[in-house]
Amino acid sequence: MLRRLALAAVVSLAALATTAPAATATGPAPSAVPTAGPLSSAFPALGPLPVPLPPLPSFLDGGSGVGQEKPAARTRLTVTVERSGVAGADGTFELTCGPTGGTHPERQGACDRLAEVGATRAGQDLFQPAPQGTMCTMIYGGDASARIVGTWEGRAVDTAVTRGDGCEIARWNNLVPVLPDLR
């Protein structure tokens, strides 16, 4: 929260600096329209050109210093799959993202899927079961079960996924290729 407030203050100050260049700049402000030459009388001056934003202070960029990117949160998961019916899919696999590694059979695809879902879900937890009281279709998807334990985007994960009803089947399918594709 404090970080967001400080970022808003820095952006506001930068916006003020572009609207009041005389208070922040020394010398004449650059103009968007030529002040001399044949076009100078045809176009009135539109005002100063925008001033580039200054770099963020170190307390806003995670203390890593100006110009350095903050390292991505690592993902490290242990995926255990049982009774999937897919050759080579049952077993316990390690998955590491950022950098990609581990014993998971589809490491890169799984990391790409987790990154894609993490970016589009805007804070919703991919690994949470359906909320209590959710109406789920009574479709049985098979005996397959999986347990996922570890860290995803810096958050602890410990969840079990089955194919016992429509909600669980949808959860499983949303986690493909972290989990084997049983469709």
Side-chain angles (χ1 to χ4, degrees):
M1 183 71 173
L2 181 60
R3 188 176 186 176
R4 183 178 283 167
L5 180 63
L7 181 60
V10 168
V11 170
S12 297
L13 288 174
L16 285 173
T18 61
T19 59
T24 59
T26 57
S31 176
V33 176
T35 56
L39 296 177
S40 63
S41 61
F43 297 102
L46 297 175
L49 291 174
V51 177
L53 292 175
L56 291 176
S58 64
F59 70 91
L60 289 177
D61 67 359
S64 60
V66 176
Q68 295 179 357
E69 285 188 28
K70 186 176 178 182
R74 285 187 50 121
T75 296
R76 184 178 300 247
L77 299 172
T78 301
V79 181
T80 303
V81 179
E82 297 175 342
R83 299 180 306 277
S84 70
V86 176
D90 290 355
T92 300
F93 307 100
E94 298 293 326
L95 175 64
T96 305
C97 302
T100 303
T103 59
H104 193 281
E106 294 185 48
R107 290 180 289 279
Q108 189 60 53
C111 288
D112 291 346
R113 178 64 181 151
L114 289 172
E116 172 191 351
V117 171
T120 61
R121 286 258 171 153
Q124 295 178 6
D125 195 346
L126 172 67
F127 297 99
Q128 289 295 322
Q132 192 72 16
T134 301
M135 299 287 238
C136 299
T137 60
M138 297 304 295
I139 298 173
Y140 182 68
D143 290 331
S145 66
R147 176 142 187 199
I148 304 171
V149 179
T151 306
W152 175 58
E153 294 184 345
R155 293 178 283 185
V157 172
D158 187 355
T159 191
V161 184
T162 65
R163 296 181 60 83
D165 62 30
C167 293
E168 285 293 302
I169 292 170
R171 243 180 106 207
W172 184 291
N173 290 343
N174 197 31
L175 284 164
V176 171
V178 176
L179 299 177
D181 191 355
L182 303 181
R183 293 178 248 189

